[in-house]
């Protein structure tokens, strides 16, 4: 077997406090908070490197990132959002708050990032029983990206009120890909201290006891 390159586990690379601070200060950023400041390509690449360092089933790295700067394409995605959000408004018609929620920053952000799952035609180690593990891997990459962006003081918004087929058509993406996430990225003037949906009273924060079971 090939020699594994290893480093001693004497010292952790960052302190738990630093990592927790980063995680706790990560926010989903909507359109009203993005600033006009452009992002250097070198920084954008570092953020994408973080995504590309994520764990993946069978080390398949089944992700692709499409950086969308084109205004016309973004406008088309925005129109798709508006269409789908009209349907969502009907679903939440008894919630007076819903229509006032700002749920995307497609046009206001510096760029959009379509995050794709690339289906494999070959068997993937570890994915033989649980087919969705490829898509789960892509979500791990998204979380890495989101956290690294925060480390650069850059905000990310996740826009999911979009149909897979429509977005793929707008961006000219082939059949072998599935849209996992449509993100917006940009510098922000401020980061909210807690989730907006918590502040607005849409949801409450679950305690650890509510989400952990010991069996
Ligand atoms: C899978 C996923 C989909 C989401 N889709 C949307 C969305 O369509 N619009 C939106 O405004 N926020 C969206 N969000 C952001 C969540 O609302 C947000 O993460 C949550 O309210 C907690 O806030 P925080 O991320 O600032 O901690 C999404 C988040 C995830 C993980």
């Amino acid at each position: 077997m090939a020699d594994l390159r290893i480093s001693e586990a004497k010292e952790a690379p960052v302190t738990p406090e630093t990592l927790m601070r980063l995680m706790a200060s990560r926010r989903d950023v909507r359109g009203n908070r993005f600033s006009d400041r452009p992002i250097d390509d070198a920084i954008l690449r570092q953020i994408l490197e973080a995504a590309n360092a994520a764990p993946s089933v069978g080390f398949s790295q089944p992700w692709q990132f499409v950086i969308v700067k084109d205004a016309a394409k973004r406008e088309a995605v925005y129109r798709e959002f508006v269409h789908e959000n009209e349907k969502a408004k009907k679903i939440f018609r008894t919630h007076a708050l819903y229509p006032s929620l700002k749920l995307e920053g497609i046009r206001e952000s510096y760029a959009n990032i379509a995050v794709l799952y690339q289906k494999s035609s070959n068997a993937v180690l570890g994915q033989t029983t649980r087919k969705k593990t490829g898509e789960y891997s892509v979500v791990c990459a998204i979380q890495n990206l989101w956290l690294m962006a925060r480390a650069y003081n850059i905000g990310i918004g996740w826009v999911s009120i979009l149909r897979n087929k429509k977005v793929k058509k707008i961006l000219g993406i082939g059949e072998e890909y599935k849209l996992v996430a449509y993100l917006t990225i940009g510098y922000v003037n401020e980061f909210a201290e807690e989730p907006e949906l918590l502040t607005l009273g849409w949801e409450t924060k679950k305690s650890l006891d509510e989400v952990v079971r010991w069996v």
Side-chain angles (χ1 to χ4, degrees):
M1 194 172 154
D3 272 351
L4 287 178
R5 289 196 289 159
I6 52 170
S7 59
E8 277 188 71
K10 268 189 191 152
E11 215 178 301
V14 292
T15 66
E17 292 77 16
T18 302
L19 190 55
M20 193 62 213
R21 199 145 37 93
L22 178 71
M23 288 174 171
S25 61
R26 182 211 49 77
R27 284 280 79 76
D28 183 80
V29 174
R30 283 75 186 238
N32 43 347
R33 294 191 192 274
F34 285 116
S35 81
D36 292 338
R37 184 175 161 199
I39 301 175
D40 271 2
D41 279 354
I43 290 178
L44 191 52
R45 287 188 71 88
Q46 287 303 315
I47 293 169
L48 292 164
E49 287 284 6
N52 202 26
S56 60
V57 63
F59 198 38
S60 54
Q61 305 149 81
W63 40 68
Q64 290 275 309
F65 304 91
V66 181
I67 316 299
V68 189
K69 285 192 182 168
D70 182 74
K73 288 193 172 68
R74 285 161 64 155
E75 190 60 40
V77 175
Y78 175 72
R79 283 201 303 274
E80 161 63 7
F81 165 82
V82 171
H83 179 271
E84 287 299 291
N85 202 34
E86 284 308 312
K87 292 191 212 162
K89 280 179 192 168
K90 288 188 189 122
I91 294 168
F92 290 109
R93 62 182 162 265
T94 56
H95 296 245
L97 188 61
Y98 190 88
S100 67
L101 294 174
K102 174 82 174 147
L103 297 172
E104 54 73 43
I106 296 165
R107 296 174 304 175
E108 301 91 334
S109 51
Y110 170 71
N112 299 173
I113 306 177
V115 187
L116 310 175
Y117 165 57
Q118 184 171 19
K119 296 169 202 163
S120 174
S121 39
N122 303 322
V124 173
L125 186 157
Q127 201 176 351
T128 43
T129 302
R130 298 182 64 101
K131 306 295 175 206
K132 290 261 180 194
T133 46
E135 285 164 69
Y136 301 163
S137 305
V138 178
V139 177
C140 292
I142 294 165
Q143 179 72 346
N144 271 15
L145 179 154
W146 208 336
L147 291 172
M148 184 57 103
R150 184 64 186 90
Y152 279 107
N153 242 351
I154 287 171
I156 298 285
W158 188 324
V159 190
S160 47
I161 306 166
L162 297 168
R163 286 168 294 181
N164 175 52
K165 260 196 175 165
K166 296 283 174 185
V167 174
K168 275 174 50 178
K169 189 162 182 225
I170 294 165
L171 302 180
I173 289 162
E175 269 300 302
E176 66 276 32
Y177 296 99
K178 182 173 179 184
L179 179 75
V180 173
Y182 195 80
L183 307 176
T184 55
I185 182 166
Y187 282 101
V188 294
N189 296 318
E190 57 198 4
F191 281 98
E193 281 181 16
E194 56 179 26
E196 269 181 33
L197 294 181
L198 175 64
T199 312
L200 296 169
W202 184 270
E203 279 293 352
T204 53
K205 173 78 190 148
K206 290 182 183 169
S207 72
L208 208 53
D209 286 342
E210 285 174 277
V211 298
V212 179
R213 289 190 225 177
W214 306 78
V215 294

